[in-house]
Every structure is written in C-alpha cells, then in structure tokens.
C-alpha cells in the first residue's frame, strides 16, 4: 500500500511528503486499516489555518483600499460637492425639397433617409459646435460668465481666462447636437448651472441655426435666379438697341417701310406701263387712218406718251438708281438695311420671350427648393436638475474600480507564481 501510494502521488508532492504507516491492532485489524485512507502528516502547497486567515485579511484590506475607498471619495464628490446642472432640450428638422446625402446602406430605411437626411442637417450640427456660434453667444450672452458661476463646482466650472480654443472645447461638451439617421430629426441639448442660463443658450442656438438655414435657402434661390435674370437683362438690352436702330433708320430715310414703299412704286409703274401701251395703240390707229402728224389728236397722244415715259423712267430710277438716294445710297440699300434691322428685332424679341419664360421656370424651381428649419420641440425652462446622475455614476465608479482591482490582482498573482 505504501508503494502504491508513492506511485500515485505527483512528483512534487512525493518529494516533500512524509507518510506514516499504520500498524494493525491485531490480525483482525488489517482489513479496516487497509480501507482507511493514508494519514498525511503534511500536505504541500496547502496553507495552514493561520496563513489562510492572513490571506483573507489581506484580501479584504486591498478590497477596501482599492475599491471601497475610491468609491467613497467619488460618492462624497457626487452627493456633497458636485453642482446641479440643468439640461434644456430642443428638437427640430430641416424641411423642404432637399438633396439626399446619397445611398446609405441601412436596408429598409434607405428610402426614408433619402427623403429626410440632407447636408443641411450636418451643416447645422457643425455650425452649432463651431467657433462663429461660440463668438455669437459670447457677444450676446456672455457665456463665460455663465460657465464660471459660483454655483458650479471646481471640477465642472470653466477655468476662466483662457484661449478661445479651450473655451470652444468646453462649449462642445455643454452644447451638443445629435442627428437621427432614420428620421433626420436633430436633438439639441444644452447644459448649464442655472435653468435660465440653459434656456437662454438653447434659444440663442436655435435662432442662429434657423437664421443659417434661411440664409442658405435664400442664397440657393438667388443663385438659381441670377443666371436667368442676367439672360433676361441681356435680351432686353438687345431688343432695345434693335428698336432704337430701326427708329434711327426711319428718321434718316423718311419712310416707315421701304419694302411697302417699293411695292407701291411697282404698282404705280405697272399702271403707267398699261397707259403707255394704250397710248401707243391709239397713236398707231390714228397714224394708220391717214391723219397729219401735226393734227391735234396725234400731238395730244404724243405728248401724253412722252409724259408717261418720263414718269416710268423716274419710277424705275427710284428703284434702281438715284431716285431715292439719301446721302448717296440707293433704295435697294435701304431695303437691305431695313430687312437686316427687322431680322435683328425679330431675333431680339424671340430671345426676350424665351428669357422671360426661363425666368418664370426658374422662379417656380426656386420656390420648390425652399428650405427651412422646423422647430417642433422648442426649448423650455427646466424645473429639475438631471445632471449629474449620482446613483448611476456611483455604481459605474464602483464597478470600474472593482474590475480594475480584480484584473490588477490577477496579473500580479500570475507574475509572482511565474517567478516562484
């Protein structure tokens, strides 16, 4: 049995153990003696009773020093030193015909996001936490005085005279904007040490954000209309110049429409030619009847024929020669110039009509692109302090200290066991 026990124990324990064999009390005592377990005089690696008490005492002491004591300090700060902070909340959204940010891989919510999520929402978020917003609030509200009130404790109070960058970092901790990706609703939260300060800051931020959205919308509408308005102004100027050139032409030539004047001249010329043909026929008949050339009838017809020829020549010269010359220019030049002026006026009028129609369409499109900030939960005066959440913060601190102490103890014990 002794040999069997020695073979079954580990090497580490066999090298350190001391076994006392059991002597049988008689011939009948061998079997009970064999069934009894071996009596070990000393088992290695098991602490004595006093050692176990010391380990437990040290464990409780370390737990009190590294867990309970820091938790108690945090509790004293939270319940006796930490200042009450009041939170103002406002909710608003950018409404209107806005362009979506793009395809967002959120499955069934992607179409909803494309309708409600736009760059303007992110512009508002960045603007609220920007330096221009802080400078505006400092100029109108004096936020430094609000953040350094006597009601604040040493940990949360702003330190005072420091660069604008540190004040901006403190501002971003106190004034935050969160965007719901699904609905596009923006939630503004403002923390201050008095209810009035939180309400004033919240109203100022909402007003400035609304002014920014209105400015963006107005600028977009103006940019959309500016090109159409410039085209309309250019077409109106061209049409005005065409009318002035046509008026100057009529004053210079003394006629309203050279084409119609030429048409009237041609009608008169045709009539004279008919009269000439009739007179020549009459003259031929009289001469054929044997009348003397000096007779009164023949002389009258000859004189009338000469007058008709002279009129025909004058009318033909007025169309092709210098009959309607003004400053050495022919009537054909007048007709050519007039036709060019009429073509220019027609083009100018068509362009003006087209520009007017495009401007009307641009106005309709600009009205559709109107964007505004819809505030459906305005800032209200808080009645109860909600920050800090003392019970929650104390539990988190206790759990954090417990985890930190437990991990550190295990790490130290592992290092000591490795060095043994």
């Amino acid at each position: 049995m002794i040999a069997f026990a020695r073979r079954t124990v580990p090497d580490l324990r066999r090298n350190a153990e001391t076994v006392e064999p059991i002597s049988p009390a008689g011939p009948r005592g061998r079997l009970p003696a064999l069934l009894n377990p071996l009596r070990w005089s000393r088992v290695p690696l098991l602490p004595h009773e006093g050692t176990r008490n010391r380990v437990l005492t040290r464990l409780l002491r370390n737990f009190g020093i590294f867990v309970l004591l820091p938790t108690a300090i945090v509790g004293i700060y939270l319940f006796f030193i930490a200042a009450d902070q009041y939170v103002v909340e406002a909710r608003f959204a950018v409404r209107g015909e806005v362009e979506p940010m793009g395809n967002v891989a959120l499955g069934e919510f992607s179409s909803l996001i494309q309708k409600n999520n736009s760059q303007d929402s992110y512009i508002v978020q960045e603007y609220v936490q920007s330096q221009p917003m802080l400078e505006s609030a400092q100029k109108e509200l004096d936020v430094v005085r609000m953040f350094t009130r006597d009601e604040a404790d040493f940990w949360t109070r702003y330190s005072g005279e420091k660069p604008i960058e540190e004040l901006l970092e403190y501002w971003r901790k106190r004034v935050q904007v969160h965007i719901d990706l699904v609905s596009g609703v923006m939630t503004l939260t403002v923390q201050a040490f008095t209810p009035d300060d939180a309400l004033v800051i919240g109203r100022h931020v909402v007003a400035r954000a609304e002014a920014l959205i209105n400015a963006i919308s107005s600028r977009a509408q103006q940019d959309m209309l500016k090109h159409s308005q410039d085209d309309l102004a250019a077409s109106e100027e061209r049409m005005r110049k065409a009318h002035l050139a046509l008026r100057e032409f009529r004053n210079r030539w003394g006629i309203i429409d050279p084409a119609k004047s030429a048409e009237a001249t041609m009608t008169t010329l045709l009539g004279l030619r008919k009269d000439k043909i009739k007179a020549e026929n009459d003259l031929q008949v009289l001469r054929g009847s044997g009348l003397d050339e000096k007779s009164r009838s023949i002389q009258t017809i000859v004189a009338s024929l000469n007058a008709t020829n002279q009129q025909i020549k004058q009318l033909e010269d007025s169309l092709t020669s210098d009959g309607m010359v003004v400053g050495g220019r022919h009537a054909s030049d007048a007709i050519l110039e007039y036709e060019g002026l009429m073509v220019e006026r027609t083009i100018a009028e068509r362009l003006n009509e087209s520009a007017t129609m495009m401007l009307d369409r641009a106005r309709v499109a600009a009205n559709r692109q109107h964007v505004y900030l819809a505030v459906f939960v305005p800032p209200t005066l808080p009645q109860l302090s909600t920050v800090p959440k003392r019970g929650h913060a104390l539990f988190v601190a206790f759990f954090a200290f417990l985890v930190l102490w437990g991990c550190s103890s295990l790490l130290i014990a592992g290092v000591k066991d490795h060095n043994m």
Side-chain angles (χ1 to χ4, degrees):
M1 292 298 297
I2 295 176
F4 174 76
R6 289 184 179 277
R7 288 194 302 270
T8 56
V9 296
D11 295 338
L12 179 62
R13 181 172 295 182
R14 185 174 64 243
N15 294 334
E17 68 185 3
T18 301
V19 181
E20 296 179 358
I22 302 174
S23 300
R28 296 182 179 180
R30 290 183 177 179
L31 184 59
L34 294 174
L35 296 177
N36 290 333
L38 297 177
R39 293 200 303 259
W40 300 89
S41 62
R42 181 173 62 84
V43 180
L45 301 179
L46 290 179
H48 297 289
E49 188 68 23
T51 305
R52 288 198 297 269
N53 293 334
R54 287 196 301 272
V55 170
L56 181 61
T57 302
R58 184 166 61 249
L59 181 65
L60 294 176
R61 182 184 61 191
N62 292 339
F63 179 78
I65 293 175
F66 296 105
V67 178
L68 296 181
L69 181 60
T71 304
I73 295 174
V74 172
I76 292 173
Y77 167 76
L78 291 175
F79 288 94
F80 298 100
I81 300 177
D84 293 336
Q85 301 179 38
Y86 298 87
V87 179
V88 167
E89 184 177 288
R91 294 186 178 183
F92 44 85
V94 178
R95 303 288 295 172
E97 296 290 337
V98 294
E99 296 181 357
M101 287 291 292
N103 295 326
V104 183
L106 290 179
E108 58 181 342
F109 300 109
S110 59
S111 60
L112 184 62
I113 292 173
Q114 291 180 0
K115 294 181 180 178
N116 297 284
N117 193 11
S118 67
Q119 286 185 345
D120 296 327
S121 300
Y122 293 96
I123 290 174
V124 171
Q125 183 184 36
E126 295 297 329
Y127 177 70
V128 169
Q129 296 186 335
S130 65
Q131 185 171 336
M133 172 64 81
L134 174 60
E135 293 175 350
S136 173
Q138 175 62 24
K139 181 179 179 180
E140 298 184 14
L141 306 178
D142 192 8
V143 292
V144 173
R145 177 183 58 83
M146 296 180 179
F147 293 149
T148 56
R149 289 187 179 275
D150 296 334
E151 292 87 347
D153 59 86
F154 70 93
W155 186 262
T156 58
R157 182 189 294 113
Y158 178 62
S159 56
E161 298 295 334
K162 283 191 174 182
I164 188 66
E165 288 77 13
E166 295 190 10
L167 179 59
L168 179 60
E169 183 178 356
Y170 187 86
W171 168 270
R172 290 174 178 173
K173 294 178 181 178
R174 298 295 170 182
V175 181
Q176 296 181 353
V177 178
H178 301 281
I179 301 177
D180 187 0
L181 293 178
V182 176
S183 63
V185 174
M186 290 176 285
T187 303
L188 170 69
T189 56
V190 179
Q191 296 182 12
F193 300 106
T194 63
D196 295 332
D197 290 349
L199 179 62
V200 169
I201 294 175
R203 288 178 176 176
H204 177 78
V205 170
V206 171
R208 293 292 298 176
E210 187 173 4
L212 174 66
I213 290 298
N214 292 337
I216 292 174
S217 177
S218 177
R219 177 64 181 275
Q221 293 176 349
Q222 291 177 1
D223 291 343
M224 187 173 295
L225 293 175
K226 186 177 183 302
H227 182 69
S228 298
Q229 290 173 347
D230 293 342
D231 291 343
L232 179 60
S235 64
E236 289 177 348
E237 179 65 19
R238 182 173 180 176
M239 186 172 63
R240 186 184 67 84
K241 291 181 178 180
H243 283 288
L244 290 177
L246 187 60
R247 186 181 64 179
E248 189 272 336
F249 168 82
R250 288 169 176 170
N251 293 333
R252 176 160 46 86
W253 286 88
I255 53 178
I256 301 299
D257 190 345
K260 291 183 179 180
S261 299
E263 184 179 356
T265 302
M266 290 297 298
T267 302
T268 304
L269 185 60
L270 290 175
L272 291 176
R273 287 176 177 174
K274 290 180 180 180
D275 294 339
K276 177 183 177 181
I277 293 172
K278 184 177 181 301
E280 288 178 348
N281 290 333
D282 293 341
L283 181 61
Q284 189 69 23
V285 171
L286 291 176
R287 285 178 178 176
S289 63
L291 288 178
D292 187 10
E293 291 290 334
K294 295 181 179 180
S295 64
R296 185 176 182 83
S297 299
I298 294 178
Q299 292 294 325
T300 301
I301 294 175
V302 170
S304 176
L305 188 59
N306 292 332
T308 301
N309 289 330
Q310 185 177 1
Q311 290 178 357
I312 290 174
K313 185 177 183 303
Q314 289 178 354
L315 292 177
E316 290 177 349
D317 291 341
S318 67
L319 295 177
T320 59
S321 182
D322 297 334
M324 290 183 63
V325 171
V326 178
R329 298 177 64 185
H330 299 161
S332 58
D333 295 335
I335 295 175
L336 182 61
E337 181 180 355
Y338 179 78
E339 290 178 351
L341 293 176
M342 289 300 295
V343 170
E344 175 64 21
R345 189 185 72 171
T346 303
I347 294 175
E349 290 175 351
R350 295 294 183 272
L351 289 177
N352 184 70
E353 292 176 1
S354 177
T356 303
M357 183 176 61
M358 293 300 296
L359 180 60
D360 293 338
R361 292 181 179 178
R363 286 197 178 102
V364 174
N367 292 331
R368 291 179 179 176
Q369 290 292 331
H370 179 65
V371 180
Y372 61 94
L373 190 71
V375 182
F376 56 90
V377 179
T380 56
L381 184 67
Q383 303 294 329
L384 182 66
S385 171
T386 56
V387 177
K389 298 179 180 180
R390 293 177 171 85
H392 179 267
L394 186 62
F395 174 77
V396 171
F398 172 77
F399 184 76
F401 289 135
L402 179 62
V403 171
L404 182 62
W405 171 71
C407 295
S408 301
S409 300
L410 291 176
L411 182 61
I412 294 173
V415 172
K416 289 182 177 180
D417 183 69
H418 180 73
N419 295 331
M420 290 179 59

